[in-house]
Amino acid sequence: MRLILTAATIVTMVSSALHTSAAVKPLTPELMLTLARPSTASLSPNGQLAVFSASRYSIDTNKSIRNLHLVNLAHNNSLSDLTPQAPETNHDNALWLDNDHVTFLSKGQLFVKSVSSDAEPYPLTHFPVDINSVKFNKAANLIAFSAAVYADGSLRGAKEMDENLKNTKKDTGLAFDTLMVRHWDDFIQEKKNNIFVATIKKNGDKFVVDGEAINLLLNTGLESPVIPFGDQGDFDISPDGKEIVFVSKINTPDNAWQTTTHIYTVPTVGGTAPKSINPESVGAASHPVYSATGKSIAYFQMPKAQYEADRNRIVVHTNGHSRIVAKDWNRSPSSILFDSKDETIFVTAEDKGRVKIFQIDLETETVEAIVSEHAQSGLNLIDDNTILYSTASLTTPNDLFTVDVKSKAIQRRTHVHADTLANVHLSKPEDVNFKGDEGRDIHGFLLKPIGFDPSKKYPLAFIVHGGPQSAFNDNWNTRWNPNIFASAGFVTVFLNPTGSTGYGQELTDAINKNWGGSPYIDLMKGLDHVLEAHQYIDETRIAALGASYGGYMMNWFNGHTDRFNCLVNHDGIFDTKNGFYATEELYFPEHEYGGVPWDPKASENYERWNPANFVQNWKTPTLVIHSDKDYRLPVTEGLSTFTVLQRKGIPSRFLYFPDENHWVLKAANSLRWHSEVLTWIQKWTALPKGSAAADQSVEFLTSQIKLA
């Protein structure tokens, strides 16, 4: 017998599972993807106003707009549109030139908008090519920005070369003499990111660029911001505007198998070679910032070579000397902010499923949490006692808050999503704690389904995170949002097993050469724990899902257990050895498995933890998802997985995106992703595992399913 699932069938199944009143709506993929996505804020010099951008997606037009919003922190936190929510608008990277004027990026150039008038924005820059990653220094009236240029280092030369290649180059070939050939989702280009500076001035009532832009990296061979994710966080301007500090990765032939990056300083007048302040570095360095007085530079340093998940040490560099601050603190911070006197730094760091704000006394090196719930980002110093920041959680995207550093009193400043989410079911996370492999303390979260009734039984969505050195935090996510599954009628459990971050470096490091060992045991023990502790979970209806390392674990599950009704494998590893030969960042597998695959000792690790070696055991129905521009784990990994499933006659489906990378980012593609995933897990958990009806073959009619 064959079951046929249509969109109407799936909607009926979801609706019957919810048992919810009309007053409470589920969080659907459509609703989630059309919510505003606010950036972090930029604070006015006097601390009274803040500006941020927010994007919004329209399903009808299949387009997004991004405009600027103004918050009056001094007067009732009033929120208004600084630029209109108009078609084709894309305004971002807003910065304050003074207390009345904001500059922002639009179509690759800077524009200026007064916050006190209705005058239209006017262009500030007219550079020959698009610019990105902008910062501004008021003391020197200096803008710093990045642009991709050729070897001659000039903006005009980049434009001329682009036009010449467009008009004269007939072939599409790219030739390479060293690795990397490609990175993340693009092939390595001849053009490189360089940092430029230019001064601005007032001409009448308008700001204008004063003179030519200066390339501070000219003829150095250095690149900054660092691809593929580098931005304005890769550099900073000194308070007096006379110097820039920046990060740059090594450009030697071993760059593909080393994480080595250095921190450099360079005068903003140009013509002087940058100087490294951490020339001994063999690991990754990042996030350089000047102190408020300009006497010190702080940055993060990972001491281990080849290890992108090493613990970030806080280094403060003063007068040519560097020291590690709070060197025994077993957390890995991700951002730094100085107070005005160089006495205290404020950092954000993962800690047990939250991203907290900590203050660190630079003299005593004591560490104290000042904001401990949910996930914080985008710190701005209003004064030495008040920080403006963004908070997101599993139940809401970013909003702005302030915290009193001394009293720790928190004040909410915006309610961007209050109206949209007023009647939407958003399950609050419950902490899950249990003993994992080798007695380790393992933590995670559980969400109850919409319309929860403790007397009833519910299917379980069991989600495994990627990384593997990352974590599920109490944070908002539009790619893997656990509340989507809770709103579809599932108890949703997502754990942080061995290898996860935010629980001490020992737990993070313990996955090394242990990919299918401790993490798998932790997940099985965690599953046992939640099934025993929560009798409303139906142990015969469990779907497991994961991406990247989580996708690897789906393949590992398939070879080592049959307790799941179905699996969803997004961009997962099929063959660890082949994964080495096809990926771009070779330092990752070399570190994780102890070397290159042709080294006999390392080869044992590649083979021991290789899902391809256990395909003879596979039997669980699996949805495989992979994208063509995923150069981290190329599409052949997904195709190989699907080939095995099909050849063995295991119910399976392959969802392919030709225009996505390791992540599905385009909203319409995300809608398709969600409809396919929810359809798959709803179908396979509709009936208990092992029942005759549950094992019937299924024909999917899911070209454009939208769940209500």
Side-chain angles (χ1 to χ4, degrees):
M1 179 179 175
R2 185 174 63 179
L3 299 178
I4 299 180
L5 272 67
T6 65
T9 307
I10 296 299
V11 169
T12 301
M13 292 170 62
V14 174
S15 299
S16 64
L18 300 186
H19 296 287
T20 184
S21 66
V24 179
K25 301 180 294 185
L27 178 70
T28 63
E30 290 84 355
L31 175 57
M32 177 188 69
L33 290 166
T34 53
L35 288 172
R37 302 190 191 187
S39 70
T40 55
S42 176
L43 185 68
S44 64
N46 60 15
Q48 296 183 5
L49 301 170
V51 62
F52 65 90
S53 65
S55 67
R56 292 170 176 83
Y57 171 69
S58 167
I59 293 176
D60 292 337
T61 64
N62 192 29
K63 291 182 178 180
S64 295
I65 64 166
R66 178 179 288 276
N67 70 306
L68 303 183
H69 300 263
L70 185 69
V71 186
N72 193 325
L73 301 172
H75 295 92
N76 301 317
N77 300 314
S78 60
L79 178 65
S80 59
D81 286 349
L82 182 59
T83 58
Q85 298 181 32
E88 310 302 327
T89 300
N90 187 10
H91 299 162
D92 202 5
N93 200 166
L95 302 164
W96 293 85
L97 300 179
D98 57 28
N99 288 315
D100 185 54
H101 294 89
V102 169
T103 187
F104 60 91
L105 278 174
S106 177
K107 299 179 180 178
Q109 299 295 327
L110 286 173
F111 287 72
V112 177
K113 175 74 176 76
S114 169
V115 301
S116 62
S117 77
D118 294 329
E120 290 293 313
Y122 63 86
L124 171 62
T125 62
H126 302 85
F127 294 123
V129 296
D130 291 351
I131 66 172
N132 291 287
S133 304
V134 184
K135 285 192 170 182
F136 175 68
N137 175 271
K138 178 60 179 174
N141 283 321
L142 189 80
I143 56 171
F145 60 90
S146 70
V149 294
Y150 293 95
D152 78 340
S154 73
L155 299 174
R156 188 165 302 281
K159 179 179 176 61
E160 291 173 353
M161 179 64 78
D162 285 345
E163 292 176 346
N164 180 61
L165 290 173
K166 181 179 179 180
N167 294 329
T168 63
K169 192 174 189 290
K170 307 302 181 184
D171 68 287
T172 59
L174 298 173
F176 300 90
D177 296 307
T178 61
L179 295 174
M180 297 178 183
V181 168
R182 55 188 189 177
H183 203 177
W184 188 247
D185 61 3
D186 198 6
F187 280 75
I188 300 299
Q189 303 297 313
E190 185 180 351
K191 291 195 292 186
K192 305 298 180 186
N193 288 337
N194 281 192
I195 298 172
F196 292 77
V197 293
T199 57
I200 64 172
K201 65 179 182 180
K202 264 295 193 63
N203 185 7
D205 61 350
K206 291 187 176 182
F207 288 91
V208 297
V209 175
D210 184 18
E212 295 293 320
I214 301 171
N215 185 347
L216 300 182
L217 274 59
L218 182 65
N219 297 327
T220 64
L222 300 174
E223 182 172 17
S224 188
V226 178
I227 61 171
F229 302 119
D231 56 17
Q232 56 268 41
D234 280 2
F235 65 92
D236 197 23
I237 311 174
S238 64
D240 61 9
K242 295 181 179 179
E243 187 178 76
I244 276 183
V245 62
F246 67 93
V247 61
S248 185
K249 192 172 187 292
I250 57 171
N251 55 15
T252 47
D254 59 348
N255 76 91
W257 56 91
Q258 297 294 340
T259 56
T260 309
T261 50
H262 293 111
I263 306 294
Y264 297 86
T265 59
V266 62
T268 55
V269 293
T272 302
K275 181 180 179 181
S276 175
I277 64 173
N278 66 335
E280 74 290 345
S281 170
V282 296
S286 62
H287 296 84
V289 296
Y290 284 96
S291 67
T293 66
K295 296 178 180 179
S296 297
I297 296 169
Y299 63 93
F300 297 138
Q301 180 70 60
M302 294 182 178
K304 292 183 181 178
Q306 293 191 301
Y307 191 20
E308 66 176 9
D310 194 11
R311 178 164 65 89
N312 272 330
R313 273 65 165 183
I314 304 166
V315 180
V316 176
H317 182 83
T318 308
N319 296 325
H321 300 282
S322 297
R323 69 181 177 105
I324 298 176
V325 174
K327 64 180 180 180
D328 296 325
W329 183 41
N330 200 7
R331 291 297 181 266
S332 190
S334 55
S335 68
I336 312 174
L337 177 70
F338 277 90
D339 72 351
S340 68
K341 302 173 184 176
D342 295 9
E343 296 175 350
T344 301
I345 56 173
F346 304 96
V347 302
T348 55
E350 289 180 312
D351 185 42
K352 298 180 180 178
R354 279 80 185 175
V355 183
K356 302 178 181 180
I357 300 176
F358 296 87
Q359 62 177 345
I360 303 175
D361 187 297
L362 289 177
E363 181 178 354
T364 66
E365 301 189 13
T366 56
V367 181
E368 181 184 13
I370 56 174
V371 180
S372 296
E373 296 300 319
H374 312 309
Q376 280 57 239
S377 61
L379 309 190
N380 286 269
L381 193 70
I382 295 179
D383 56 51
D384 279 343
N385 197 48
T386 312
I387 295 175
L388 173 72
Y389 61 96
S390 293
T391 290
S393 72
L394 283 161
T395 60
T396 182
N398 273 345
D399 265 305
L400 291 177
F401 292 76
T402 52
V403 61
D404 183 294
V405 172
K406 293 180 180 178
S407 70
K408 301 182 180 62
I410 294 172
Q411 181 180 357
R412 185 169 189 151
R413 297 299 190 139
T414 62
H415 297 80
V416 174
H417 319 283
D419 293 340
T420 314
L421 296 177
N423 297 312
V424 175
H425 172 81
L426 290 161
S427 183
K428 294 183 178 180
E430 301 176 19
D431 289 275
V432 175
N433 294 281
F434 62 96
K435 292 293 184 180
D437 189 31
E438 299 185 3
R440 297 187 184 101
D441 291 323
I442 304 298
H443 169 258
F445 297 99
L446 178 148
L447 300 183
K448 290 188 174 75
I450 189 170
F452 176 71
D453 180 343
S455 68
K456 296 182 177 180
K457 290 278 192 176
Y458 294 91
L460 173 65
F462 190 69
I463 308 175
V464 181
H465 69 64
Q469 295 93 348
S470 65
F472 284 123
N473 293 313
D474 182 10
N475 202 351
W476 190 258
N477 192 308
T478 55
R479 289 183 288 112
W480 284 88
N481 190 313
N483 256 304
I484 288 290
F485 300 95
S487 274
F490 287 82
V491 177
T492 306
V493 171
F494 39 113
L495 307 176
N496 290 324
T498 297
S500 299
T501 53
Y503 300 87
Q505 195 62 32
E506 294 83 1
L507 187 72
T508 304
D509 292 347
I511 196 174
N512 185 247
K513 307 181 190 69
N514 187 23
W515 268 41
S518 293
Y520 173 76
I521 295 171
D522 293 343
L523 292 166
M524 293 298 100
K525 285 178 175 286
L527 181 55
D528 291 339
H529 171 77
V530 296
L531 291 175
E532 181 179 352
H534 305 284
Q535 295 300 307
Y536 51 80
I537 301 175
D538 188 343
E539 64 180 7
T540 69
R541 295 190 293 151
I542 306 175
L545 312 87
S548 194
Y549 174 78
Y552 163 94
M553 187 55 70
M554 296 307 105
N555 286 340
W556 195 257
F557 281 171
N558 219 347
H560 291 80
T561 181
D562 62 354
R563 69 190 302 181
F564 299 105
N565 297 56
C566 66
L567 305 171
V568 176
N569 173 350
H570 175 105
D571 290 3
I573 295 174
F574 170 75
D575 188 317
T576 52
K577 276 195 168 182
N578 190 66
F580 170 88
Y581 294 117
T583 195
E584 8 82 284
E585 294 182 349
L586 295 179
Y587 49 77
F588 180 76
E590 288 190 28
H591 176 271
E592 294 303 296
Y593 302 115
V596 294
W598 54 87
D599 174 78
K601 188 173 182 179
S603 180
E604 293 178 4
N605 292 317
Y606 283 92
E607 293 291 358
R608 182 181 184 185
W609 307 120
N610 192 347
N613 289 339
F614 301 92
V615 296
Q616 67 274 14
N617 301 329
W618 287 16
K619 57 177 67 73
T620 306
T622 304
L623 171 63
V624 183
I625 306 170
H626 226 106
S627 301
D628 205 70
K629 292 178 71 65
D630 183 357
Y631 302 152
R632 182 61 42 84
L633 297 174
V635 69
T636 48
E637 296 294 305
L639 288 169
S640 299
T641 301
F642 186 60
T643 296
V644 172
L645 293 162
Q646 288 284 298
R647 188 63 183 84
K648 294 194 71 179
I650 300 170
S652 49
R653 185 171 173 84
F654 183 67
L655 176 61
Y656 166 74
F657 293 102
D659 54 348
E660 297 284 6
N661 56 36
H662 201 52
W663 304 328
V664 174
L665 300 176
K666 296 180 180 178
N669 287 343
S670 181
L671 286 173
R672 178 62 184 272
W673 186 97
H674 280 91
S675 77
E676 293 275 354
V677 169
L678 292 174
T679 298
W680 184 262
I681 64 174
Q682 283 283 0
K683 180 268 163 183
W684 287 105
T685 60
L687 295 171
K689 187 180 185 303
S691 66
D695 294 332
Q696 295 163 349
S697 63
V698 178
E699 177 180 338
F700 284 84
L701 304 179
T702 57
S703 60
Q704 289 296 330
I705 288 179
K706 291 184 179 180
L707 298 180

